Amino acid sequence: MKKYTYEGKTKEEAIAKAMEELKVSEKNLIINVLEEKNSLLKKSVKIEVINYNDLVDFVKETITEITKMMGMTVNLEVRRRDDNITIKIFSDHNAVLIGKNGRAIEALQTIVRQIVHNETNEFVGIILDVENYKEKRVKNLEYLAKKVAREVKETQVETKLDSMNSYERRIIHSILSNNKYVYTESVGEEPNRCVVVKPKEV
């Protein structure tokens, strides 16, 4: 991944030099301060910057290399919103890439995030999806959460859902966080941790 260094009397001056040379706005740069000097003789700040466009290319190359080692050819569709990069993966091996309960794509996402962190020293929001698996999964989880909440409200009996990864559990917790009649708890150990929906005392 391309990295550039710039120096100025202040961090702001160094950033301004980076923006001028790379012809991008500050929000399109990942900035790390490498060195600060503040003495009577000299005051300077040296920064290292990465262009977000280069970062996106690096992420795409990383995913392509990993899936190639898995014996797959993939096409990638990238969407960036603020500091989050969402990449949809299209292949002839979607079931393998998704894995049971989405665990394979979650593992790949974790690996890619760690590789990027090692390169940039930043935690970049990278979300991987296989076609529209996660979008469909979120809708299914929303339906499930609301259905179970209604049942628990009517029966006053807690319900334990199937085991889910942390991403899916967060969705269930979030959907029911403001429900007047039920609350949620996560129980068990990974990878069999699950959500329990319980009735609130009236």
Side-chain angles (χ1 to χ4, degrees):
M1 191 189 309
K2 293 179 182 175
K3 297 178 182 178
Y4 308 86
T5 56
Y6 297 92
E7 194 170 335
K9 290 180 180 177
T10 63
K11 181 182 176 182
E12 289 72 23
E13 184 180 302
I15 292 172
K17 287 181 180 178
M19 290 191 295
E20 183 180 355
E21 183 172 307
L22 299 175
K23 295 182 170 48
V24 294
S25 61
E26 186 174 344
K27 70 178 182 179
N28 284 308
L29 296 174
I30 294 175
I31 302 161
N32 283 311
V33 176
L34 296 178
E35 188 180 83
E36 286 187 75
K37 290 180 181 176
N38 195 357
S39 66
L40 292 172
L41 298 174
K42 188 176 183 183
K43 185 177 180 183
S44 68
V45 178
K46 184 186 285 185
I47 62 171
E48 179 183 81
V49 303
I50 296 170
N51 188 331
Y52 249 103
N53 292 331
D54 293 334
L55 174 64
V56 169
D57 288 341
F58 176 77
V59 172
K60 288 165 66 177
E61 288 167 10
T62 301
I63 294 169
T64 301
E65 281 300 311
I66 293 173
T67 50
K68 195 178 192 179
M69 287 188 283
M70 296 168 68
M72 301 178 192
T73 301
V74 298
N75 292 312
L76 305 174
E77 180 184 289
V78 181
R79 186 174 72 235
R80 183 187 158 202
R81 182 175 294 170
D82 298 324
D83 292 334
N84 290 317
I85 301 169
T86 301
I87 299 182
K88 285 185 183 178
I89 305 173
F90 300 85
S91 81
D92 294 331
H93 303 86
N94 288 346
V96 176
L97 279 170
I98 293 167
K100 186 178 180 182
N101 295 328
R103 285 179 185 151
I105 191 63
E106 285 298 314
L108 179 58
Q109 179 175 280
T110 300
I111 292 167
V112 172
R113 283 178 175 175
Q114 189 58 52
I115 291 171
V116 169
H117 174 65
N118 293 345
E119 280 286 325
T120 65
N121 207 30
E122 293 282 331
F123 287 103
V124 181
I126 297 170
I127 301 165
L128 303 188
D129 197 0
V130 178
E131 289 202 9
N132 293 310
Y133 168 75
K134 283 189 177 178
E135 289 179 17
K136 292 173 184 173
R137 183 66 174 149
V138 168
K139 288 178 182 177
N140 289 339
L141 289 172
E142 286 176 357
Y143 173 79
L144 174 67
K146 291 173 182 176
K147 176 174 174 285
V148 171
R150 284 194 302 270
E151 292 172 357
V152 171
K153 175 194 169 189
E154 291 169 5
T155 63
Q156 291 297 295
V157 176
E158 66 181 50
T159 298
K160 182 188 286 188
L161 304 180
D162 291 338
S163 60
M164 298 176 184
N165 60 43
S166 59
Y167 168 75
E168 293 174 335
R169 293 197 305 272
R170 280 198 302 272
I171 291 171
I172 299 290
H173 290 311
S174 175
I175 291 166
L176 299 180
S177 61
N178 295 318
N179 192 289
K180 295 178 182 177
Y181 307 103
V182 303
Y183 67 100
T184 58
E185 287 182 358
S186 286
V187 299
E189 300 295 327
E190 299 289 3
N192 299 313
R193 199 161 166 76
C194 60
V195 176
V196 179
V197 183
K198 299 183 177 183
K200 285 182 179 176
E201 292 183 10
V202 179

